[in-house]
Amino acid sequence: MNLLAAAPVPRDLPLPLPVPEWLLVFCLVVFFLVHILFVNLMVGGSVLVVLLEWMGLKNKRWDALAHEVAQTITVNKSLAVVMGIGPLLCINLLYTLQWYSANALTGHAWLMIVPLVIVAFLLTYLHKYTWDTWTSGGKKTLHQLTGLGAALLFLFIPLIFLANVNLMLFPTEWEKVKGFFSSLGIGNILPRYLHFMAASLAMTGLFLAGWFGRRDSDLSHLEGFSRPELRRLFYKVCTCITLAQFLFGPLLLFTLPAAGITTAVYVIIFSGAAVGLLALQQLMAELKSPDAAIGGRYGRIVALFSVVVLGMGSGRHVYREAALAGHQAEVKERTARYAAALAEFNKGQAAKPQPAEQSAEQLFMNCAACHAPAVKLVGPPLTEIAKIYAGNPEGIVAWAKAPGKKRPELPQMPSFAHLGETSLRKIAVLMLEKAAVK
Amino acid sequence: MDFPSFYMDHLAGGRLIIGLIASLHVLINHPLAVGAYPLLTWMEWWAHKHNRPDIDRLACRITFIVFIITTTVGAMTGVGIWLSTSLFAPFAIGSLLRVFFWGWFAEWLVFISEVVLICWWFLSWRKADTAEKKRKHIKIGVALSLMSWLTMALIVAVLGFMMKPGEWNQTRAFLDAMTNPLYAPQLGFRTFFALMTAAVFIWFTAFFFTRPKVAGDDGPKRLRRWIVYRMSHVVLVSLLGVFLFGTWYWNCIPETMKANSSVALLTQEFMSWHGRFQSLLGWTIVAFVVIGIGGLSNTFTLPRWALLVPSVMGIWLLGHFERAREFMRKPWVIGEYMYSNGIHKDELAFLQSEGLLRHATYVKHREVTEANKAECGRDVFMLACSRCHSTTGLNGVIEKFTLMYGADKPWDAAGMTLFIKGMHQTRTFMPPFPGTDKEAEALVAYILQLRENPQTLRGAQSEGITFAPVAKPVEEAGR
């Protein structure tokens, strides 16, 4: 409990969840993984394209390969965006307070997602559709810079999401956050980022090994590459990076703040890693297999990786649940307490006899903000009004219902027709009385 | 609101940003997606049926532009509405998501199919080289048109619901919200508006792709005449729909909101526009009629620039429609349920009796004292006013009070307090003040301090958060 002493405990929205919680959790985990897969392919793809195009300066065949890879990014990026909406919907519902709070605390960066992604996407299209026209000299450099610009943006934008996903887990830290950059100091963002980036490259490698391995895929643009060679190349990317993940993974796990660490988290993550070892072993076997047989284990490898990813995704959720359990409970308790007090109050209000009609004095409060007895506040003082409407309260009523504009130096009076004729008459009579007393 | 307050002082809290993102989204979505997909599909079908490869090529080129814009700026501004609303009004979007979950979920599924279909449709266009493949390709276009219309149909339900909740606040039922009375007219208005503007967009873009390249080549000219003639028909027919559904829409708006709309038009930023409103609306329709009829002629071709006139007016008309729609919602963010500052209707009296600060989370003090008055006022401002007002900037409280109490004389604190408490009576588009008398006085103290010493109020995104321990229930505190 001490740990949570510094966490703000806000009230939740007084509306029930629209669907059972377990369903939302299931959707969150699964949809998020689908989303992140396409994000991986988009980010990893754009990084690979930059590298391959640069290699292409020396040997044209790499340039052609870079162009082929670039074709895949624009579709993957559209899917990355659209597949992100589902998990966002779920996380908004499941962690309403934590999620929106993290958004607000990193607000400027959160808002910058929109223009940054637009620019990154436009650069990606520019890069793709100028490939055959910006081919030499300064134009080629400009082309490469376009690709680099897009890749750098794709490397930065995930950091904003990561900062939010991370910050929401630690309400006790919220008080320390003063803007996006300071939020990067909380939790273990750097290891998470490295793990994500490595996953992007590994998944892209695996995807391209399959993409170029399709029997009906057209390799006619890729002179100097054979199909097995391409498969082996991207298998190699996937294998090397997956090996590195056995470094980044533990680094991430062991730097996680203690808040959500439970035995279950370890069990799930280590089981995932064990399956990861199997996938790695299969990858190695693929790399060693002869040209004719390469690709035979592709389905198995994809299945194994799916299990790994599902394990990591579930482990991540179990950690989140544990890290937020205390805060969620406190929020629930405070929300219930507030609802009870509110219901009690409203019951008392309903039981009270309906207030009698408002007195003239009460009604006059609507006017007193602008009309003082003897001095001009906003509108003319009562003394002046009395002079104009002496013995004519009906005149005041008519004016209040549809005020005109007589004095150019004063703001126009709003209509008070909604108070009703009877009330306005009461006010008018009182106004004249008040002025007479002065 | 019980979330850290994201706040951009000089942009009227930041509402302006939602407005800009949303307007850009609608301006792309309506003409370039909802309206253009069916028209381009129809062009493709016509080209196939009458064996006109030039029309097919033209449709494909325009689709390229549509593809690039909708999958970048179009898609991201759509997501951007959500991302920015999460910052400025998490209470509203959070509540809407809970009520409209299935609506949003269905929209997402439709949206996925829309994205897949536009990628598929455009990227496979040139590969469809046989009659059979072409027929299949046209079907993708038809599916895409349907899906993009469905996306709009679902989201309009949410917009309509925010204006007039129907029976929702009693039954909390999803279907009630979906069948609210403003739904059909608004959807019809948007559908025909989309078709009308899409026709002008295609017409305009076609000029760039139908330039005669070889002297004496009649092809481009013939193609241009073809597209102008067809698109002007679309303009004229859709215009009628825009007019009819627009009229129906305005007739369906509840009376109170209509009353508000005249306040909106008269007193707010619309003030100077109001005189021109009706004549401009008239001219917009005239402009579309003129180019629609002009396009029917086969003796002369309307110049390209002539199309910019109705386009600009169309943008203006839609912009006005959206702004008025947003404004007419006031003082509610969700009609009869939640005020625009996130206070629920049913907790108003409670907070007025017990105190806004007492039940908030992100505040420095819970009780107003002489010593902390202005600091409390600052928190009250952030909770009750900051969703619409800046301090000293756009739509600022200082500006508003200067209009009332004058720029060159001291302001009367007692008068201001009275005004704040009765504000919703005189400014019917504003929510009632949701705090105690002391909190109203604190707010006035803060405003007077601001006047003396204008200081930008920084939001949680730069200032971070402060929170006082949760207050004990009133009875225990010994009241």
Side-chain angles (χ1 to χ4, degrees):
Chain A
M1 273 295 112
N2 248 350
L3 195 72
L4 288 170
V9 181
R11 288 179 277 119
D12 200 356
L13 299 169
L15 287 167
L17 283 182
V19 273
E21 200 179 323
W22 62 264
L23 186 58
L24 282 176
V25 169
F26 174 78
C27 291
L28 176 61
V29 172
V30 174
F31 295 156
F32 177 75
L33 290 175
V34 176
H35 162 65
I36 214 69
L37 172 69
F38 287 110
V39 173
N40 283 335
L41 298 183
M42 168 182 89
V43 175
S46 67
V47 171
L48 280 184
V49 165
V50 170
L51 293 174
L52 290 171
E53 193 184 6
W54 179 67
M55 287 160 72
L57 290 180
K58 289 218 176 96
N59 185 339
K60 273 285 165 207
R61 72 173 192 153
W62 294 111
D63 192 86
L65 180 59
H67 192 185
E68 286 297 303
V69 176
Q71 308 283 350
T72 65
I73 301 175
T74 45
V75 175
N76 285 333
K77 70 107 181 84
S78 281
L79 292 170
V81 168
V82 73
M83 295 315 294
I85 292 171
L88 194 58
L89 186 62
C90 296
I91 205 164
N92 274 324
L93 287 166
L94 279 171
Y95 302 103
T96 308
L97 292 168
Q98 292 88 0
W99 179 250
Y100 288 128
S101 300
N103 294 169
L105 289 170
T106 60
H108 285 139
W110 182 250
L111 204 53
M112 284 305 288
I113 289 172
V114 180
L116 289 179
V117 174
I118 290 177
V119 172
F121 283 5
L122 287 171
L123 286 176
T124 309
Y125 278 130
L126 188 65
H127 193 235
K128 175 177 166 182
Y129 288 110
T130 53
W131 207 294
D132 292 329
T133 42
W134 295 1
T135 47
S136 58
K139 277 201 169 166
K140 184 63 181 172
T141 312
L142 187 63
H143 187 256
Q144 286 185 293
L145 287 176
T146 309
L148 182 67
L152 287 176
L153 283 171
F154 283 137
L155 288 175
F156 175 70
I157 296 161
L159 202 54
I160 304 178
F161 284 99
L162 195 51
N164 274 273
V165 170
N166 176 65
L167 185 58
M168 68 169 279
L169 295 176
F170 312 113
T172 45
E173 306 285 314
W174 291 354
E175 212 178 358
K176 296 178 198 156
V177 176
K178 309 258 181 285
F180 166 68
F181 289 104
S182 77
S183 78
L184 298 180
I186 284 164
N188 60 341
I189 292 209
L190 186 66
R192 290 181 81 147
Y193 183 71
L194 290 175
H195 190 61
F196 163 77
M197 279 304 154
S200 293
L201 287 171
M203 284 300 119
T204 309
L206 187 63
F207 163 70
L208 291 174
W211 182 253
F212 290 117
R214 288 171 306 144
R215 233 166 258 128
D216 60 339
S217 68
D218 176 19
L219 299 186
S220 58
H221 306 288
L222 292 172
E223 271 177 53
F225 285 107
S226 69
R227 201 183 297 279
E229 194 184 354
L230 282 172
R231 295 203 95 161
R232 192 163 290 123
L233 171 69
F234 289 111
Y235 267 141
K236 212 177 266 172
V237 171
C238 182
T239 312
C240 294
I241 305 287
T242 305
L243 260 174
Q245 286 292 47
F246 281 91
L247 195 72
F248 293 135
L251 182 68
L252 191 168
L253 185 62
F254 297 128
T255 52
L256 271 176
I261 296 286
T262 59
T263 322
V265 173
Y266 278 129
V267 170
I268 296 172
I269 299 286
F270 283 122
S271 317
V275 181
L277 275 176
L278 286 179
L280 196 60
Q281 183 244 331
Q282 291 292 314
L283 275 169
M284 304 264 202
E286 277 285 66
L287 285 177
K288 279 185 211 135
S289 55
D291 279 5
I294 195 164
R297 296 179 180 82
Y298 192 73
R300 218 176 306 160
I301 294 172
V302 169
L304 285 171
F305 266 111
S306 308
V307 175
V308 175
V309 166
L310 207 60
M312 297 302 163
S314 315
R316 172 197 170 93
H317 178 74
V318 172
Y319 178 84
R320 180 168 49 215
E321 278 290 291
L324 285 176
H327 192 245
Q328 291 279 60
E330 285 186 298
V331 165
K332 204 172 167 190
E333 198 263 332
R334 177 158 185 227
T335 309
R337 198 145 36 87
Y338 180 78
L342 178 62
E344 181 82 5
F345 177 88
N346 282 341
K347 217 170 92 191
Q349 290 290 99
K352 272 187 204 160
Q354 286 296 311
E357 270 177 46
Q358 284 191 302
S359 71
E361 281 289 347
Q362 281 170 324
L363 285 166
F364 180 69
M365 285 300 149
N366 286 318
C367 321
C370 297
H371 302 284
V375 292
K376 194 192 91 189
L377 267 186
V378 179
L382 297 184
T383 44
E384 225 177 294
I385 296 174
K387 261 184 230 152
I388 305 170
Y389 294 103
N392 177 21
E394 287 310 325
I396 298 182
V397 173
W399 173 267
K401 272 161 61 182
K405 188 162 168 69
K406 283 199 251 180
R407 301 164 201 242
E409 76 281 11
L410 296 181
Q412 187 175 6
M413 177 171 148
S415 163
F416 281 85
H418 54 277
L419 292 183
E421 187 100 9
T422 333
S423 298
L424 286 175
R425 219 193 126 76
K426 274 203 231 167
I427 294 172
V429 172
L430 181 76
M431 272 181 156
L432 296 178
E433 269 171 27
K434 275 184 185 265
V437 175
K438 293 285 150 182
Chain B
M1 76 174 195
D2 235 17
F3 298 90
S5 297
F6 178 92
Y7 188 57
M8 294 170 96
D9 201 357
H10 294 293
L11 295 170
R15 249 183 341 139
L16 205 64
I17 296 200
I18 307 185
L20 282 176
I21 295 177
S23 309
L24 193 57
H25 181 69
V26 170
L27 285 177
I28 288 171
N29 170 281
H30 282 14
L32 268 66
V34 176
Y37 295 153
L39 295 180
L40 290 166
T41 307
W42 175 78
M43 280 169 72
E44 193 192 8
W45 170 80
W46 176 283
H48 175 64
K49 196 177 164 211
H50 297 89
N51 195 21
R52 288 280 301 267
D54 56 335
I55 293 175
D56 187 85
R57 220 166 18 245
L58 178 65
C60 181
R61 283 169 161 177
I62 298 176
T63 305
F64 174 67
I65 297 176
V66 167
F67 170 73
I68 295 284
I69 297 178
T70 52
T71 58
T72 56
V73 191
M76 279 313 294
T77 45
V79 177
I81 297 175
W82 196 2
L83 298 190
S84 57
T85 319
S86 303
L87 291 177
F88 302 115
F91 46 83
I93 192 78
S95 304
L96 287 171
L97 285 185
R98 292 188 187 199
V99 177
F100 263 93
F101 176 78
W102 289 112
W104 248 295
F105 192 80
E107 211 234 320
W108 179 48
L109 298 182
V110 177
F111 185 36
I112 295 174
S113 63
E114 191 187 338
V115 169
V116 170
L117 287 168
I118 179 67
C119 289
W120 190 12
W121 194 45
F122 173 67
L123 296 171
S124 66
W125 197 303
R126 284 182 189 152
K127 290 174 195 153
D129 44 13
T130 64
E132 196 185 334
K133 279 187 188 167
K134 196 72 197 164
R135 272 195 296 276
K136 189 182 154 201
H137 191 259
I138 293 168
K139 279 182 194 151
I140 304 173
V142 173
L144 172 63
S145 310
L146 278 176
M147 286 305 167
S148 115
W149 184 82
L150 248 174
T151 323
M152 181 178 80
L154 285 167
I155 212 70
V156 163
V158 180
L159 292 178
F161 157 72
M162 288 198 297
M163 288 244 350
K164 187 173 178 177
E167 292 298 299
W168 174 80
N169 54 347
Q170 273 101 50
T171 58
R172 305 266 149 101
F174 170 70
L175 265 183
D176 284 351
M178 275 284 188
T179 54
N180 89 72
L182 285 176
Y183 184 65
Q186 196 185 157
L187 185 60
F189 174 81
R190 286 178 191 273
T191 305
F192 285 104
F193 183 88
L195 284 170
M196 179 173 83
T197 46
V200 175
F201 168 77
I202 289 173
W203 182 345
F204 183 76
T205 329
F207 276 99
F208 297 93
F209 298 125
T210 53
R211 289 202 188 109
K213 289 205 179 89
V214 191
D217 179 8
D218 239 16
K221 211 172 158 192
R222 184 166 148 239
L223 180 58
R224 188 176 289 186
R225 169 114 338 122
W226 184 89
I227 196 88
V228 167
Y229 186 74
R230 258 69 196 185
M231 288 305 126
S232 50
H233 276 83
V234 179
V235 168
L236 289 173
V237 172
S238 320
L239 188 61
L240 194 66
V242 168
F243 177 75
L244 290 177
F245 280 100
T247 315
W248 185 15
Y249 179 78
W250 279 93
N251 283 328
C252 284
I253 290 171
E255 283 305 309
T256 51
M257 290 186 172
K258 228 180 213 173
N260 244 358
S261 113
S262 74
V263 173
L265 294 170
L266 281 167
T267 67
Q268 295 293 301
E269 301 94 298
F270 296 119
M271 193 160 150
S272 57
W273 306 353
H274 185 244
R276 282 173 289 163
F277 175 69
Q278 280 189 324
S279 54
L280 266 171
L281 181 68
W283 284 115
T284 309
I285 291 174
V286 169
F288 277 97
V289 170
V290 166
I291 64 140
I293 291 174
L296 297 178
S297 157
N298 50 23
T299 49
F300 75 102
T301 316
L302 277 176
R304 201 180 317 179
W305 59 263
L307 298 180
L308 293 176
V309 179
S311 303
V312 169
M313 287 183 141
I315 290 173
W316 176 83
L317 175 69
L318 191 65
H320 188 91
F321 171 79
E322 302 287 358
R323 269 196 89 170
R325 181 182 59 74
E326 280 294 304
F327 199 88
M328 277 183 300
R329 245 184 325 133
K330 294 181 181 185
W332 306 103
V333 67
I334 302 174
E336 295 290 330
Y337 174 73
M338 183 188 267
Y339 289 108
S340 41
N341 51 9
I343 304 290
H344 290 87
K345 186 186 182 185
D346 73 345
E347 66 182 352
L348 180 69
F350 180 62
L351 294 175
Q352 282 172 337
S353 149
E354 295 213 341
L356 181 62
L357 298 177
R358 163 175 287 277
H359 291 289
T361 300
Y362 299 102
V363 292
K364 205 166 178 186
H365 312 282
R366 299 211 171 269
E367 291 289 339
V368 181
T369 64
E370 269 316 302
N372 69 16
K373 220 171 176 183
E375 268 187 349
C376 283
R378 207 184 86 132
D379 282 338
V380 171
F381 177 86
M382 198 56 120
L383 290 170
C385 323
S386 71
R387 297 304 99 189
C388 302
H389 289 285
S390 72
T391 54
T392 54
L394 207 61
N395 202 24
V397 277
I398 296 298
E399 177 199 319
K400 297 292 168 196
F401 278 111
T402 305
L403 280 177
M404 283 180 65
Y405 292 99
D408 45 1
K409 47 183 193 175
W411 294 350
D412 180 63
M416 286 167 75
T417 311
L418 274 178
F419 171 75
I420 285 171
K421 281 160 56 191
M423 185 173 59
H424 57 292
Q425 296 284 5
T426 54
R427 307 283 188 273
T428 46
F429 47 85
M430 288 177 72
F433 179 71
T436 60
D437 292 359
K438 267 193 159 174
E439 285 169 340
E441 283 166 27
L443 177 59
V444 169
Y446 172 63
I447 293 171
L448 290 175
Q449 179 192 299
L450 260 184
R451 190 187 183 208
E452 285 301 306
N453 178 19
Q455 249 190 349
T456 303
L457 178 57
R458 298 184 344 139
Q461 78 276 21
S462 31
E463 191 85 337
I465 48 168
T466 328
F467 54 94
V470 175
K472 289 199 173 66
V474 173
E475 311 85 75
E476 285 173 43
R479 277 210 178 165

